[in-house]
Structures are given as structure tokens and as C-alpha cells.
Amino acid sequence: MPHASNIVFCDGPDSPNAFDTIPLQSRTGTLDALCPVCRGRGQWNTEIDLVSFRCRRTTCDACHGAGWVETGSDPVGLPDIVLGPTGHPQWTVRYHDDRDHDAIDPAKPGLATREAGT
């Protein structure tokens, strides 16, 4: 049986309904500042039904879904799956150098600056 729907498509995190029903991610203590792109949520809606609140989401590329970013030069550990020596998948931690992304100025939380040459 069909039901009423009002589907809205979001172009990115600046869209009006991009963060509907998405909670803030809690800080685990390993990362320093709220992500300037997703503002601490780690993801946003790409499509949402404003009647049933069913949605499709995308993960934030700047914080890898954590909602928080590293402000210093420490590598960021991300969970990953690799093939083990026996050919079976196993969990591991992949360390990502955060210098590949926007640098966060700790004096101005939430503001990203692009470093020269990156």
C-alpha cells in the first residue's frame, strides 16, 4: 500500500535538511576539533523523506565519519579490513596522515585553512 512521502535531495552538508535526524558524534579523546565540513556529525543526508524520515546518507570525507579531526601532526587511526596471511579478512588499524586534508587552526575551532602546495 503506498504511503505519503515528501522526498528531498540534499546537494551537500550546506543543504537545509542535510543533518535532520543525525546526532553529533561524541569525542573519543583522540581527535581535537569538530569537523568543519559535517560539524561533528560524520555524515549527512543525501536524500530524506520528510514524512517517514527514511534517508540515504554519505560519510564525510574530511573526518572519515568520526565527526572530529586532528589539529596537530599526529596520524589518525582508521579501522580497516585486510586479508590476513591465511586468506581470511581481519580487522586492522590503518594510520592516515591528516596533512593530505585541510589544516584546522586550533585558535579558531571549526575553521579550515588550505596550506600552500597541497
Side-chain angles (χ1 to χ4, degrees):
M1 177 173 192
H3 65 279
S5 66
N6 182 13
I7 297 175
V8 175
F9 296 94
C10 303
D11 293 329
D14 295 327
S15 296
N17 299 102
F19 296 119
D20 288 0
T21 71
I22 300 178
L24 289 172
Q25 297 286 331
S26 59
R27 182 174 179 253
T28 61
T30 58
L31 301 172
D32 301 328
L34 283 173
C35 176
V37 177
C38 67
R39 299 185 277 284
R41 289 174 173 85
Q43 57 187 335
W44 60 82
N45 298 317
T46 57
E47 180 180 322
I48 184 167
D49 184 348
L50 297 178
V51 176
S52 66
F53 293 103
R54 292 181 181 178
C55 60
R56 292 183 182 177
R57 297 178 178 174
T58 188
T59 303
C60 179
D61 289 334
C63 65
H64 308 288
W68 293 78
V69 293
E70 175 65 42
T71 60
S73 60
D74 295 338
V76 177
L78 302 170
D80 200 0
I81 298 174
V82 296
L83 285 177
T86 61
H88 298 302
Q90 65 184 26
W91 283 102
T92 186
V93 176
R94 176 175 47 94
Y95 290 96
H96 175 73
D97 185 4
D98 230 21
R99 288 178 281 182
D100 295 341
H101 293 286
D102 292 337
I104 307 300
D105 184 359
K108 301 174 191 172
L111 300 177
T113 58
R114 174 68 68 179
E115 291 185 23
T118 59

